[in-house]
Amino acid sequence: MQSSIRDNYLETEVMTATPQKLQYMLIDAAIRNLGRGKLLRSEGRHDQACEALIRAQQIVTHILSGLNREVDADLTRKVASIYMFVFRSLNEAQIRGDDSKLDECIRVLEVERETWRLLCEKLDQEQPAENDAAGATLTGLLPQIGDTSAAAKGPHAPRMPTFDLSSELLDGETSTGFSIEA
């Protein structure tokens, strides 16, 4: 029952999140999986550690595949190089069993996460929620298809790929999960 409640909450949070918030959530999930993988590796639970690190790789791959090269090619190339560095470092960490490489990945992703957290805060302050009879709604926070506002023009904000954002990816625990398309 507890897992079902958590899954419902996660599904609602993802389905109502802005693309910027989804980006933040993905980066946060990658960091959690890296930390979990490092901890499991130190405990000698190598199979489980490998699974957590593979989840982190999958998340980084999803982020890379969601980059929108049509908006600003130069910025997109720079952002892609950051995530490619993380991806390569993560591969090296797995092959060599090198926790210092995992630490590098975590440090880089923590900077990215903080950047996206600040962006989400700024956008929340700039976009007041609409009120209806039931109270505040989230519809005012969701970007519209074809939105050309500055908030929707990030190199990877408007074009998120289809992917499975189940709690298995986010938390390392298996659930029924779901897929989203944006």
Side-chain angles (χ1 to χ4, degrees), residues 45-84:
R45 297 164 53 189
H46 297 287
D47 289 344
Q48 292 169 320
C50 185
E51 289 174 17
L53 297 177
I54 288 171
R55 283 188 199 100
Q57 282 180 312
Q58 290 171 335
I59 293 168
V60 171
T61 301
H62 287 308
I63 292 170
L64 278 165
S65 68
L67 294 177
N68 187 349
R69 288 153 178 80
E70 297 169 7
V71 175
D72 184 340
D74 188 46
L75 179 59
T76 303
R77 189 174 57 255
K78 290 176 183 176
V79 171
S81 68
I82 292 169
Y83 291 109
M84 286 303 299

PDB file of all heavy atoms in Angstrom, residues 45-84:
ATOM      1  N   ARG A  45      28.505  -5.248  -2.157  1.00  0.00           N
ATOM      2  CA  ARG A  45      27.311  -5.691  -2.885  1.00  0.00           C
ATOM      3  C   ARG A  45      27.437  -5.207  -4.333  1.00  0.00           C
ATOM      4  O   ARG A  45      26.724  -4.339  -4.792  1.00  0.00           O
ATOM      5  CB  ARG A  45      26.066  -5.155  -2.188  1.00  0.00           C
ATOM      6  CG  ARG A  45      25.952  -5.725  -0.780  1.00  0.00           C
ATOM      7  CD  ARG A  45      25.012  -5.002   0.137  1.00  0.00           C
ATOM      8  NE  ARG A  45      23.674  -4.827  -0.392  1.00  0.00           N
ATOM      9  CZ  ARG A  45      22.763  -4.075   0.194  1.00  0.00           C
ATOM     10  NH1 ARG A  45      23.044  -3.436   1.313  1.00  0.00           N
ATOM     11  NH2 ARG A  45      21.565  -3.944  -0.334  1.00  0.00           N
ATOM     12  N   HIS A  46      28.354  -5.817  -5.048  1.00  0.00           N
ATOM     13  CA  HIS A  46      28.756  -5.344  -6.372  1.00  0.00           C
ATOM     14  C   HIS A  46      27.661  -5.449  -7.430  1.00  0.00           C
ATOM     15  O   HIS A  46      27.554  -4.569  -8.290  1.00  0.00           O
ATOM     16  CB  HIS A  46      30.028  -6.063  -6.815  1.00  0.00           C
ATOM     17  CG  HIS A  46      31.190  -5.763  -5.921  1.00  0.00           C
ATOM     18  ND1 HIS A  46      31.835  -4.550  -5.927  1.00  0.00           N
ATOM     19  CD2 HIS A  46      31.784  -6.510  -4.958  1.00  0.00           C
ATOM     20  CE1 HIS A  46      32.802  -4.559  -5.014  1.00  0.00           C
ATOM     21  NE2 HIS A  46      32.784  -5.741  -4.413  1.00  0.00           N
ATOM     22  N   ASP A  47      26.845  -6.495  -7.385  1.00  0.00           N
ATOM     23  CA  ASP A  47      25.768  -6.617  -8.375  1.00  0.00           C
ATOM     24  C   ASP A  47      24.755  -5.495  -8.221  1.00  0.00           C
ATOM     25  O   ASP A  47      24.333  -4.879  -9.201  1.00  0.00           O
ATOM     26  CB  ASP A  47      25.067  -7.975  -8.261  1.00  0.00           C
ATOM     27  CG  ASP A  47      25.929  -9.121  -8.738  1.00  0.00           C
ATOM     28  OD1 ASP A  47      26.937  -8.855  -9.432  1.00  0.00           O
ATOM     29  OD2 ASP A  47      25.596 -10.288  -8.426  1.00  0.00           O
ATOM     30  N   GLN A  48      24.357  -5.219  -6.990  1.00  0.00           N
ATOM     31  CA  GLN A  48      23.404  -4.142  -6.741  1.00  0.00           C
ATOM     32  C   GLN A  48      24.026  -2.780  -7.045  1.00  0.00           C
ATOM     33  O   GLN A  48      23.350  -1.880  -7.546  1.00  0.00           O
ATOM     34  CB  GLN A  48      22.900  -4.198  -5.298  1.00  0.00           C
ATOM     35  CG  GLN A  48      22.032  -5.415  -5.028  1.00  0.00           C
ATOM     36  CD  GLN A  48      21.766  -5.597  -3.558  1.00  0.00           C
ATOM     37  OE1 GLN A  48      22.646  -5.400  -2.725  1.00  0.00           O
ATOM     38  NE2 GLN A  48      20.537  -5.987  -3.231  1.00  0.00           N
ATOM     39  N   ALA A  49      25.313  -2.633  -6.747  1.00  0.00           N
ATOM     40  CA  ALA A  49      26.007  -1.382  -7.051  1.00  0.00           C
ATOM     41  C   ALA A  49      26.020  -1.152  -8.554  1.00  0.00           C
ATOM     42  O   ALA A  49      25.767  -0.035  -9.027  1.00  0.00           O
ATOM     43  CB  ALA A  49      27.437  -1.418  -6.511  1.00  0.00           C
ATOM     44  N   CYS A  50      26.284  -2.193  -9.299  1.00  0.00           N
ATOM     45  CA  CYS A  50      26.312  -2.097 -10.758  1.00  0.00           C
ATOM     46  C   CYS A  50      24.936  -1.679 -11.288  1.00  0.00           C
ATOM     47  O   CYS A  50      24.839  -0.836 -12.184  1.00  0.00           O
ATOM     48  CB  CYS A  50      26.745  -3.432 -11.356  1.00  0.00           C
ATOM     49  SG  CYS A  50      26.941  -3.392 -13.149  1.00  0.00           S
ATOM     50  N   GLU A  51      23.865  -2.232 -10.728  1.00  0.00           N
ATOM     51  CA  GLU A  51      22.512  -1.873 -11.152  1.00  0.00           C
ATOM     52  C   GLU A  51      22.235  -0.386 -10.900  1.00  0.00           C
ATOM     53  O   GLU A  51      21.660   0.299 -11.748  1.00  0.00           O
ATOM     54  CB  GLU A  51      21.477  -2.734 -10.438  1.00  0.00           C
ATOM     55  CG  GLU A  51      21.454  -4.170 -10.899  1.00  0.00           C
ATOM     56  CD  GLU A  51      20.512  -5.041 -10.078  1.00  0.00           C
ATOM     57  OE1 GLU A  51      19.643  -4.489  -9.365  1.00  0.00           O
ATOM     58  OE2 GLU A  51      20.635  -6.263 -10.162  1.00  0.00           O
ATOM     59  N   ALA A  52      22.646   0.118  -9.745  1.00  0.00           N
ATOM     60  CA  ALA A  52      22.429   1.530  -9.421  1.00  0.00           C
ATOM     61  C   ALA A  52      23.220   2.428 -10.376  1.00  0.00           C
ATOM     62  O   ALA A  52      22.719   3.460 -10.825  1.00  0.00           O
ATOM     63  CB  ALA A  52      22.815   1.808  -7.970  1.00  0.00           C
ATOM     64  N   LEU A  53      24.438   2.026 -10.686  1.00  0.00           N
ATOM     65  CA  LEU A  53      25.260   2.825 -11.592  1.00  0.00           C
ATOM     66  C   LEU A  53      24.721   2.778 -13.022  1.00  0.00           C
ATOM     67  O   LEU A  53      24.788   3.768 -13.749  1.00  0.00           O
ATOM     68  CB  LEU A  53      26.713   2.369 -11.528  1.00  0.00           C
ATOM     69  CG  LEU A  53      27.387   2.546 -10.153  1.00  0.00           C
ATOM     70  CD1 LEU A  53      28.804   1.995 -10.168  1.00  0.00           C
ATOM     71  CD2 LEU A  53      27.370   3.997  -9.720  1.00  0.00           C
ATOM     72  N   ILE A  54      24.174   1.650 -13.410  1.00  0.00           N
ATOM     73  CA  ILE A  54      23.550   1.549 -14.727  1.00  0.00           C
ATOM     74  C   ILE A  54      22.322   2.458 -14.791  1.00  0.00           C
ATOM     75  O   ILE A  54      22.092   3.126 -15.801  1.00  0.00           O
ATOM     76  CB  ILE A  54      23.194   0.084 -15.073  1.00  0.00           C
ATOM     77  CG1 ILE A  54      24.479  -0.690 -15.362  1.00  0.00           C
ATOM     78  CG2 ILE A  54      22.218   0.010 -16.247  1.00  0.00           C
ATOM     79  CD1 ILE A  54      24.294  -2.186 -15.499  1.00  0.00           C
ATOM     80  N   ARG A  55      21.555   2.531 -13.718  1.00  0.00           N
ATOM     81  CA  ARG A  55      20.407   3.446 -13.682  1.00  0.00           C
ATOM     82  C   ARG A  55      20.874   4.887 -13.868  1.00  0.00           C
ATOM     83  O   ARG A  55      20.248   5.664 -14.583  1.00  0.00           O
ATOM     84  CB  ARG A  55      19.646   3.300 -12.372  1.00  0.00           C
ATOM     85  CG  ARG A  55      18.787   2.074 -12.340  1.00  0.00           C
ATOM     86  CD  ARG A  55      17.884   2.048 -11.117  1.00  0.00           C
ATOM     87  NE  ARG A  55      17.433   0.702 -10.901  1.00  0.00           N
ATOM     88  CZ  ARG A  55      17.938  -0.141 -10.010  1.00  0.00           C
ATOM     89  NH1 ARG A  55      18.903   0.255  -9.210  1.00  0.00           N
ATOM     90  NH2 ARG A  55      17.477  -1.361  -9.896  1.00  0.00           N
ATOM     91  N   ALA A  56      21.977   5.231 -13.212  1.00  0.00           N
ATOM     92  CA  ALA A  56      22.521   6.587 -13.365  1.00  0.00           C
ATOM     93  C   ALA A  56      22.922   6.830 -14.812  1.00  0.00           C
ATOM     94  O   ALA A  56      22.662   7.904 -15.368  1.00  0.00           O
ATOM     95  CB  ALA A  56      23.706   6.800 -12.425  1.00  0.00           C
ATOM     96  N   GLN A  57      23.542   5.839 -15.444  1.00  0.00           N
ATOM     97  CA  GLN A  57      23.913   5.964 -16.858  1.00  0.00           C
ATOM     98  C   GLN A  57      22.679   6.142 -17.733  1.00  0.00           C
ATOM     99  O   GLN A  57      22.692   6.942 -18.669  1.00  0.00           O
ATOM    100  CB  GLN A  57      24.670   4.724 -17.327  1.00  0.00           C
ATOM    101  CG  GLN A  57      26.103   4.679 -16.906  1.00  0.00           C
ATOM    102  CD  GLN A  57      26.768   3.410 -17.409  1.00  0.00           C
ATOM    103  OE1 GLN A  57      26.231   2.316 -17.263  1.00  0.00           O
ATOM    104  NE2 GLN A  57      27.941   3.565 -17.995  1.00  0.00           N
ATOM    105  N   GLN A  58      21.623   5.405 -17.439  1.00  0.00           N
ATOM    106  CA  GLN A  58      20.395   5.523 -18.215  1.00  0.00           C
ATOM    107  C   GLN A  58      19.823   6.938 -18.106  1.00  0.00           C
ATOM    108  O   GLN A  58      19.370   7.507 -19.102  1.00  0.00           O
ATOM    109  CB  GLN A  58      19.355   4.507 -17.740  1.00  0.00           C
ATOM    110  CG  GLN A  58      19.702   3.077 -18.082  1.00  0.00           C
ATOM    111  CD  GLN A  58      18.761   2.084 -17.403  1.00  0.00           C
ATOM    112  OE1 GLN A  58      18.169   2.368 -16.365  1.00  0.00           O
ATOM    113  NE2 GLN A  58      18.641   0.915 -18.007  1.00  0.00           N
ATOM    114  N   ILE A  59      19.859   7.488 -16.928  1.00  0.00           N
ATOM    115  CA  ILE A  59      19.335   8.837 -16.716  1.00  0.00           C
ATOM    116  C   ILE A  59      20.166   9.848 -17.503  1.00  0.00           C
ATOM    117  O   ILE A  59      19.614  10.727 -18.181  1.00  0.00           O
ATOM    118  CB  ILE A  59      19.293   9.179 -15.222  1.00  0.00           C
ATOM    119  CG1 ILE A  59      18.253   8.300 -14.511  1.00  0.00           C
ATOM    120  CG2 ILE A  59      18.979  10.665 -15.012  1.00  0.00           C
ATOM    121  CD1 ILE A  59      18.322   8.335 -12.997  1.00  0.00           C
ATOM    122  N   VAL A  60      21.481   9.725 -17.425  1.00  0.00           N
ATOM    123  CA  VAL A  60      22.354  10.643 -18.170  1.00  0.00           C
ATOM    124  C   VAL A  60      22.096  10.495 -19.672  1.00  0.00           C
ATOM    125  O   VAL A  60      22.055  11.488 -20.404  1.00  0.00           O
ATOM    126  CB  VAL A  60      23.841  10.414 -17.815  1.00  0.00           C
ATOM    127  CG1 VAL A  60      24.757  11.208 -18.729  1.00  0.00           C
ATOM    128  CG2 VAL A  60      24.099  10.780 -16.353  1.00  0.00           C
ATOM    129  N   THR A  61      21.886   9.288 -20.126  1.00  0.00           N
ATOM    130  CA  THR A  61      21.569   9.052 -21.539  1.00  0.00           C
ATOM    131  C   THR A  61      20.256   9.734 -21.923  1.00  0.00           C
ATOM    132  O   THR A  61      20.160  10.351 -22.987  1.00  0.00           O
ATOM    133  CB  THR A  61      21.491   7.536 -21.831  1.00  0.00           C
ATOM    134  OG1 THR A  61      22.752   6.947 -21.508  1.00  0.00           O
ATOM    135  CG2 THR A  61      21.158   7.270 -23.287  1.00  0.00           C
ATOM    136  N   HIS A  62      19.256   9.645 -21.060  1.00  0.00           N
ATOM    137  CA  HIS A  62      17.980  10.316 -21.328  1.00  0.00           C
ATOM    138  C   HIS A  62      18.158  11.826 -21.400  1.00  0.00           C
ATOM    139  O   HIS A  62      17.561  12.493 -22.249  1.00  0.00           O
ATOM    140  CB  HIS A  62      16.947   9.976 -20.262  1.00  0.00           C
ATOM    141  CG  HIS A  62      16.422   8.583 -20.352  1.00  0.00           C
ATOM    142  ND1 HIS A  62      15.905   8.041 -21.504  1.00  0.00           N
ATOM    143  CD2 HIS A  62      16.332   7.609 -19.426  1.00  0.00           C
ATOM    144  CE1 HIS A  62      15.519   6.800 -21.278  1.00  0.00           C
ATOM    145  NE2 HIS A  62      15.776   6.513 -20.030  1.00  0.00           N
ATOM    146  N   ILE A  63      18.960  12.358 -20.522  1.00  0.00           N
ATOM    147  CA  ILE A  63      19.219  13.802 -20.539  1.00  0.00           C
ATOM    148  C   ILE A  63      19.890  14.188 -21.863  1.00  0.00           C
ATOM    149  O   ILE A  63      19.504  15.160 -22.507  1.00  0.00           O
ATOM    150  CB  ILE A  63      20.069  14.229 -19.329  1.00  0.00           C
ATOM    151  CG1 ILE A  63      19.257  14.083 -18.031  1.00  0.00           C
ATOM    152  CG2 ILE A  63      20.555  15.664 -19.491  1.00  0.00           C
ATOM    153  CD1 ILE A  63      20.075  14.250 -16.758  1.00  0.00           C
ATOM    154  N   LEU A  64      20.891  13.418 -22.257  1.00  0.00           N
ATOM    155  CA  LEU A  64      21.580  13.694 -23.522  1.00  0.00           C
ATOM    156  C   LEU A  64      20.629  13.601 -24.716  1.00  0.00           C
ATOM    157  O   LEU A  64      20.676  14.437 -25.622  1.00  0.00           O
ATOM    158  CB  LEU A  64      22.747  12.724 -23.718  1.00  0.00           C
ATOM    159  CG  LEU A  64      24.032  13.086 -23.008  1.00  0.00           C
ATOM    160  CD1 LEU A  64      24.983  11.890 -22.961  1.00  0.00           C
ATOM    161  CD2 LEU A  64      24.696  14.265 -23.699  1.00  0.00           C
ATOM    162  N   SER A  65      19.780  12.605 -24.719  1.00  0.00           N
ATOM    163  CA  SER A  65      18.876  12.433 -25.863  1.00  0.00           C
ATOM    164  C   SER A  65      17.801  13.515 -25.911  1.00  0.00           C
ATOM    165  O   SER A  65      17.202  13.732 -26.958  1.00  0.00           O
ATOM    166  CB  SER A  65      18.237  11.048 -25.846  1.00  0.00           C
ATOM    167  OG  SER A  65      17.354  10.926 -24.753  1.00  0.00           O
ATOM    168  N   GLY A  66      17.589  14.205 -24.804  1.00  0.00           N
ATOM    169  CA  GLY A  66      16.588  15.258 -24.769  1.00  0.00           C
ATOM    170  C   GLY A  66      17.108  16.633 -25.127  1.00  0.00           C
ATOM    171  O   GLY A  66      16.349  17.595 -25.156  1.00  0.00           O
ATOM    172  N   LEU A  67      18.390  16.735 -25.430  1.00  0.00           N
ATOM    173  CA  LEU A  67      18.939  18.044 -25.778  1.00  0.00           C
ATOM    174  C   LEU A  67      18.326  18.534 -27.082  1.00  0.00           C
ATOM    175  O   LEU A  67      18.214  17.786 -28.049  1.00  0.00           O
ATOM    176  CB  LEU A  67      20.458  17.970 -25.921  1.00  0.00           C
ATOM    177  CG  LEU A  67      21.236  17.663 -24.645  1.00  0.00           C
ATOM    178  CD1 LEU A  67      22.724  17.537 -24.943  1.00  0.00           C
ATOM    179  CD2 LEU A  67      21.006  18.730 -23.589  1.00  0.00           C
ATOM    180  N   ASN A  68      17.950  19.801 -27.106  1.00  0.00           N
ATOM    181  CA  ASN A  68      17.328  20.393 -28.289  1.00  0.00           C
ATOM    182  C   ASN A  68      18.383  21.187 -29.045  1.00  0.00           C
ATOM    183  O   ASN A  68      18.679  22.324 -28.715  1.00  0.00           O
ATOM    184  CB  ASN A  68      16.160  21.288 -27.880  1.00  0.00           C
ATOM    185  CG  ASN A  68      15.377  21.786 -29.053  1.00  0.00           C
ATOM    186  OD1 ASN A  68      15.795  21.648 -30.206  1.00  0.00           O
ATOM    187  ND2 ASN A  68      14.229  22.367 -28.784  1.00  0.00           N
ATOM    188  N   ARG A  69      18.903  20.591 -30.069  1.00  0.00           N
ATOM    189  CA  ARG A  69      19.971  21.215 -30.847  1.00  0.00           C
ATOM    190  C   ARG A  69      19.464  22.337 -31.748  1.00  0.00           C
ATOM    191  O   ARG A  69      20.241  23.056 -32.350  1.00  0.00           O
ATOM    192  CB  ARG A  69      20.690  20.145 -31.664  1.00  0.00           C
ATOM    193  CG  ARG A  69      21.551  19.251 -30.793  1.00  0.00           C
ATOM    194  CD  ARG A  69      21.741  17.872 -31.377  1.00  0.00           C
ATOM    195  NE  ARG A  69      22.591  17.035 -30.574  1.00  0.00           N
ATOM    196  CZ  ARG A  69      22.208  16.386 -29.496  1.00  0.00           C
ATOM    197  NH1 ARG A  69      20.982  16.516 -29.063  1.00  0.00           N
ATOM    198  NH2 ARG A  69      23.032  15.625 -28.820  1.00  0.00           N
ATOM    199  N   GLU A  70      18.167  22.487 -31.852  1.00  0.00           N
ATOM    200  CA  GLU A  70      17.575  23.509 -32.716  1.00  0.00           C
ATOM    201  C   GLU A  70      17.561  24.890 -32.063  1.00  0.00           C
ATOM    202  O   GLU A  70      17.435  25.883 -32.749  1.00  0.00           O
ATOM    203  CB  GLU A  70      16.150  23.105 -33.093  1.00  0.00           C
ATOM    204  CG  GLU A  70      16.092  21.823 -33.890  1.00  0.00           C
ATOM    205  CD  GLU A  70      14.671  21.300 -34.013  1.00  0.00           C
ATOM    206  OE1 GLU A  70      13.732  21.995 -33.601  1.00  0.00           O
ATOM    207  OE2 GLU A  70      14.522  20.183 -34.532  1.00  0.00           O
ATOM    208  N   VAL A  71      17.660  24.975 -30.765  1.00  0.00           N
ATOM    209  CA  VAL A  71      17.526  26.247 -30.064  1.00  0.00           C
ATOM    210  C   VAL A  71      18.810  27.051 -30.112  1.00  0.00           C
ATOM    211  O   VAL A  71      18.848  28.160 -30.608  1.00  0.00           O
ATOM    212  CB  VAL A  71      17.063  26.030 -28.604  1.00  0.00           C
ATOM    213  CG1 VAL A  71      17.050  27.332 -27.843  1.00  0.00           C
ATOM    214  CG2 VAL A  71      15.692  25.391 -28.571  1.00  0.00           C
ATOM    215  N   ASP A  72      19.881  26.500 -29.592  1.00  0.00           N
ATOM    216  CA  ASP A  72      21.167  27.200 -29.538  1.00  0.00           C
ATOM    217  C   ASP A  72      22.253  26.132 -29.656  1.00  0.00           C
ATOM    218  O   ASP A  72      22.637  25.512 -28.664  1.00  0.00           O
ATOM    219  CB  ASP A  72      21.287  27.976 -28.225  1.00  0.00           C
ATOM    220  CG  ASP A  72      22.557  28.802 -28.129  1.00  0.00           C
ATOM    221  OD1 ASP A  72      23.522  28.524 -28.862  1.00  0.00           O
ATOM    222  OD2 ASP A  72      22.576  29.736 -27.295  1.00  0.00           O
ATOM    223  N   ALA A  73      22.741  25.911 -30.852  1.00  0.00           N
ATOM    224  CA  ALA A  73      23.667  24.814 -31.131  1.00  0.00           C
ATOM    225  C   ALA A  73      24.936  24.900 -30.283  1.00  0.00           C
ATOM    226  O   ALA A  73      25.415  23.878 -29.785  1.00  0.00           O
ATOM    227  CB  ALA A  73      24.017  24.777 -32.613  1.00  0.00           C
ATOM    228  N   ASP A  74      25.476  26.099 -30.109  1.00  0.00           N
ATOM    229  CA  ASP A  74      26.704  26.251 -29.337  1.00  0.00           C
ATOM    230  C   ASP A  74      26.473  25.895 -27.871  1.00  0.00           C
ATOM    231  O   ASP A  74      27.251  25.147 -27.268  1.00  0.00           O
ATOM    232  CB  ASP A  74      27.235  27.682 -29.466  1.00  0.00           C
ATOM    233  CG  ASP A  74      28.604  27.853 -28.840  1.00  0.00           C
ATOM    234  OD1 ASP A  74      29.479  26.977 -29.092  1.00  0.00           O
ATOM    235  OD2 ASP A  74      28.803  28.832 -28.091  1.00  0.00           O
ATOM    236  N   LEU A  75      25.402  26.409 -27.292  1.00  0.00           N
ATOM    237  CA  LEU A  75      25.084  26.108 -25.892  1.00  0.00           C
ATOM    238  C   LEU A  75      24.776  24.624 -25.727  1.00  0.00           C
ATOM    239  O   LEU A  75      25.236  23.990 -24.773  1.00  0.00           O
ATOM    240  CB  LEU A  75      23.904  26.959 -25.413  1.00  0.00           C
ATOM    241  CG  LEU A  75      23.455  26.725 -23.970  1.00  0.00           C
ATOM    242  CD1 LEU A  75      24.591  26.995 -22.995  1.00  0.00           C
ATOM    243  CD2 LEU A  75      22.247  27.600 -23.662  1.00  0.00           C
ATOM    244  N   THR A  76      24.031  24.079 -26.657  1.00  0.00           N
ATOM    245  CA  THR A  76      23.695  22.655 -26.594  1.00  0.00           C
ATOM    246  C   THR A  76      24.948  21.799 -26.644  1.00  0.00           C
ATOM    247  O   THR A  76      25.068  20.811 -25.913  1.00  0.00           O
ATOM    248  CB  THR A  76      22.737  22.275 -27.738  1.00  0.00           C
ATOM    249  OG1 THR A  76      21.572  23.093 -27.654  1.00  0.00           O
ATOM    250  CG2 THR A  76      22.337  20.822 -27.663  1.00  0.00           C
ATOM    251  N   ARG A  77      25.907  22.162 -27.486  1.00  0.00           N
ATOM    252  CA  ARG A  77      27.166  21.416 -27.583  1.00  0.00           C
ATOM    253  C   ARG A  77      27.918  21.459 -26.245  1.00  0.00           C
ATOM    254  O   ARG A  77      28.458  20.456 -25.787  1.00  0.00           O
ATOM    255  CB  ARG A  77      28.022  21.983 -28.709  1.00  0.00           C
ATOM    256  CG  ARG A  77      29.237  21.146 -29.040  1.00  0.00           C
ATOM    257  CD  ARG A  77      30.023  21.636 -30.252  1.00  0.00           C
ATOM    258  NE  ARG A  77      30.477  23.026 -30.112  1.00  0.00           N
ATOM    259  CZ  ARG A  77      29.945  24.076 -30.727  1.00  0.00           C
ATOM    260  NH1 ARG A  77      28.919  23.931 -31.538  1.00  0.00           N
ATOM    261  NH2 ARG A  77      30.420  25.291 -30.544  1.00  0.00           N
ATOM    262  N   LYS A  78      27.921  22.629 -25.595  1.00  0.00           N
ATOM    263  CA  LYS A  78      28.593  22.757 -24.299  1.00  0.00           C
ATOM    264  C   LYS A  78      27.905  21.921 -23.227  1.00  0.00           C
ATOM    265  O   LYS A  78      28.570  21.255 -22.432  1.00  0.00           O
ATOM    266  CB  LYS A  78      28.645  24.225 -23.883  1.00  0.00           C
ATOM    267  CG  LYS A  78      29.579  25.052 -24.734  1.00  0.00           C
ATOM    268  CD  LYS A  78      29.526  26.519 -24.367  1.00  0.00           C
ATOM    269  CE  LYS A  78      30.411  27.340 -25.295  1.00  0.00           C
ATOM    270  NZ  LYS A  78      30.315  28.776 -25.020  1.00  0.00           N
ATOM    271  N   VAL A  79      26.575  21.970 -23.215  1.00  0.00           N
ATOM    272  CA  VAL A  79      25.824  21.175 -22.234  1.00  0.00           C
ATOM    273  C   VAL A  79      26.055  19.683 -22.499  1.00  0.00           C
ATOM    274  O   VAL A  79      26.270  18.902 -21.565  1.00  0.00           O
ATOM    275  CB  VAL A  79      24.322  21.537 -22.283  1.00  0.00           C
ATOM    276  CG1 VAL A  79      23.500  20.576 -21.445  1.00  0.00           C
ATOM    277  CG2 VAL A  79      24.110  22.974 -21.806  1.00  0.00           C
ATOM    278  N   ALA A  80      26.026  19.286 -23.762  1.00  0.00           N
ATOM    279  CA  ALA A  80      26.247  17.883 -24.108  1.00  0.00           C
ATOM    280  C   ALA A  80      27.625  17.422 -23.651  1.00  0.00           C
ATOM    281  O   ALA A  80      27.788  16.285 -23.182  1.00  0.00           O
ATOM    282  CB  ALA A  80      26.090  17.677 -25.612  1.00  0.00           C
ATOM    283  N   SER A  81      28.619  18.295 -23.758  1.00  0.00           N
ATOM    284  CA  SER A  81      29.970  17.898 -23.335  1.00  0.00           C
ATOM    285  C   SER A  81      30.027  17.636 -21.827  1.00  0.00           C
ATOM    286  O   SER A  81      30.771  16.753 -21.384  1.00  0.00           O
ATOM    287  CB  SER A  81      31.003  18.946 -23.746  1.00  0.00           C
ATOM    288  OG  SER A  81      30.827  20.145 -23.024  1.00  0.00           O
ATOM    289  N   ILE A  82      29.239  18.349 -21.057  1.00  0.00           N
ATOM    290  CA  ILE A  82      29.185  18.112 -19.605  1.00  0.00           C
ATOM    291  C   ILE A  82      28.643  16.716 -19.329  1.00  0.00           C
ATOM    292  O   ILE A  82      29.236  15.943 -18.573  1.00  0.00           O
ATOM    293  CB  ILE A  82      28.320  19.175 -18.901  1.00  0.00           C
ATOM    294  CG1 ILE A  82      28.993  20.541 -18.970  1.00  0.00           C
ATOM    295  CG2 ILE A  82      28.034  18.776 -17.453  1.00  0.00           C
ATOM    296  CD1 ILE A  82      28.112  21.691 -18.542  1.00  0.00           C
ATOM    297  N   TYR A  83      27.508  16.397 -19.966  1.00  0.00           N
ATOM    298  CA  TYR A  83      26.899  15.091 -19.723  1.00  0.00           C
ATOM    299  C   TYR A  83      27.703  13.947 -20.336  1.00  0.00           C
ATOM    300  O   TYR A  83      27.709  12.842 -19.793  1.00  0.00           O
ATOM    301  CB  TYR A  83      25.445  15.089 -20.199  1.00  0.00           C
ATOM    302  CG  TYR A  83      24.578  15.964 -19.325  1.00  0.00           C
ATOM    303  CD1 TYR A  83      24.068  17.160 -19.791  1.00  0.00           C
ATOM    304  CD2 TYR A  83      24.306  15.612 -18.005  1.00  0.00           C
ATOM    305  CE1 TYR A  83      23.293  17.983 -18.981  1.00  0.00           C
ATOM    306  CE2 TYR A  83      23.544  16.426 -17.184  1.00  0.00           C
ATOM    307  CZ  TYR A  83      23.041  17.606 -17.683  1.00  0.00           C
ATOM    308  OH  TYR A  83      22.286  18.414 -16.877  1.00  0.00           O
ATOM    309  N   MET A  84      28.397  14.196 -21.431  1.00  0.00           N
ATOM    310  CA  MET A  84      29.283  13.167 -21.997  1.00  0.00           C
ATOM    311  C   MET A  84      30.449  12.900 -21.060  1.00  0.00           C
ATOM    312  O   MET A  84      30.878  11.751 -20.904  1.00  0.00           O
ATOM    313  CB  MET A  84      29.785  13.581 -23.384  1.00  0.00           C
ATOM    314  CG  MET A  84      28.732  13.474 -24.473  1.00  0.00           C
ATOM    315  SD  MET A  84      28.005  11.822 -24.634  1.00  0.00           S
ATOM    316  CE  MET A  84      29.442  10.849 -25.041  1.00  0.00           C
TER     317      MET A  84
END
